[in-house]
Amino acid sequence: MKLGKKELLILSGFVGVSVVCLCMMANKVYKKHDLTRIPSEQIVMPVVVLGSGPAGLNAATYSARLGLPTLVIKGDKPGGLIADTGFVENWPGSAKILGSEIADNLSKQAELQGALFLDDTVARVDFSSWPFKLYTEGDRCIQALSVIIATGSAPRKLGIPGEQEYWGAGVSACAVCDAPLYKGKNVLVIGGGDSAIEEAIHLSYYAQKVRVLVRRESMKASQSMQDRLLDYPSVSVEYNVQPQEVVGQQGRVTGLKVLDAKTHEQRIIPAQGIFLAIGHEPNTRLFKDFIELDETTGTIKLPRDSKQTSLEGVFAAGDVERRRRQACVAAGSGAEAALDAKEFLDGLGFTKQAAAKLRLFKPDMTGVDADVLVTPAADGSVKELFSLADFTREVQEKKGLVCVNVLDAKSPAQEVVRDVAQDFAGTVAFVTVDKDKAADIASRFFVEQTPCRLVFSNGSLVARNQKDMDAQTLREFVGSIAQEAAAVA
Ligand code: NDP
């Protein structure tokens, strides 16, 4: 088909508009994650992996090997659930290997590739701005350009009376950890899946009798696993048994009250130990306000054909994103997440040269570096101070730098402060004071006109500026003070 002059003109106009739109869209994405806007004194980490099970550790191996500075925050279960598993027969390349050995090997491999490890647990995250912020139980605020969530899953509980009361005093979810305590005793395993069989076999080496209680008429476990039970005569399986209440005496479990699903009869099965093997819940609660979760399973949704979550720059691997609970599957998904994180960082122009300009987090940071990290107020939010008492607590008793902005309530400078505060999250805390509402603070520092900025370092006034500043000027003003403070340190 031949196009006339008029059609060609319309077509070229359409192509032109589309190109402009695409450029604008690309620019928007780039602006949201702009490496050039990270102040030089801000401490960041290009890849932070949450969790140290097979998914997290293999993600770290891949990420470090791809040349990305990588930090693993180990969490409260170093090595993950596999570290508590006995012999594993389906780990690639090993006919039979201890779960703890798998965890050890993966950890050593990640370390050899250059990944750093932090013995801490993430207690809260803030993914509402970038770099993402991770607040740890050890009072650190770690900022990440990308995050790989590999926090795994935790054993599900029954939710019946007595379970909580006797937890650790006869009720357990880990045979590998607790089986030796039940030498010569009678124990119950609740559940009909592969885990229940594994737990029962492990317990059979110690307990006198192991009864597996299955709530339905058949087991969910694979046939090959069920067949393995034939070699263990001290293990028996009972069907249609529904747990109702853990019973005990003098602080120890004495049995389990159950309901027969067919006859509806209740009875108490005597036992000194009850082991739960009824599946696992993904550890995703920390992230629910920022990324999409599957409503029924609680796993993290991956809307694209990749390990990226619903939020650009945040990836998920292992039990948090699928319910297979296989170490090799988790490890594979960790590798994929690292490759996806690399693609994301490449897209931002993250090169070796760019990395060299960043101030990177080190797990052994001490002195001022560590102080900067633990200043809890510098989280990118802006607090308003109303009284001298607020001022003492939020400014004079704070370690590190605090920028006090004395403003009028309706001034557009309020917006500027909020914008700039986010850029300095982790290094400088920002607060505002309304000159009319908190006149005592203003008069104490001789503030006569607004806006006025006062910068305090470890509680002492170090700089003052009374000019009206746009975001860029304020950024430069605060940035230069932060730089000086870092140089002195
Ligand atoms: P599953 O989800 O496979 O099985 C859970 C079992 O617990 C089911 O039988 C379920 O009953 C039962 N259950 C759930 N809630 C209750 C309750 N309130 N009261 C009584 N029983 C309950 O979990 P698993 O941890 O066993 O396995 C998870 C995954 O890990 C699976 O894919 C499994 O194949 C894999 N795995 C593989 C192993 C291996 O290959 N060596 C070892 C261990 C696990 P119902 O059937 O009625 O829902």
Side-chain angles (χ1 to χ4, degrees), residues 90 192-195 198 215-216 220 278 324-326:
N90 50 6
D194 289 340
S195 298
E198 252 187 2
R215 68 175 171 186
R216 290 190 290 119
K220 189 178 172 187
I278 57 169
R324 288 250 163 83
R325 290 199 61 241
Q326 297 292 305

Side-chain angles (χ1 to χ4, degrees), residues 371-384:
D371 285 349
V372 167
L373 281 165
V374 299
T375 300
D379 64 355
S381 62
V382 179
K383 258 197 194 143
E384 186 175 359

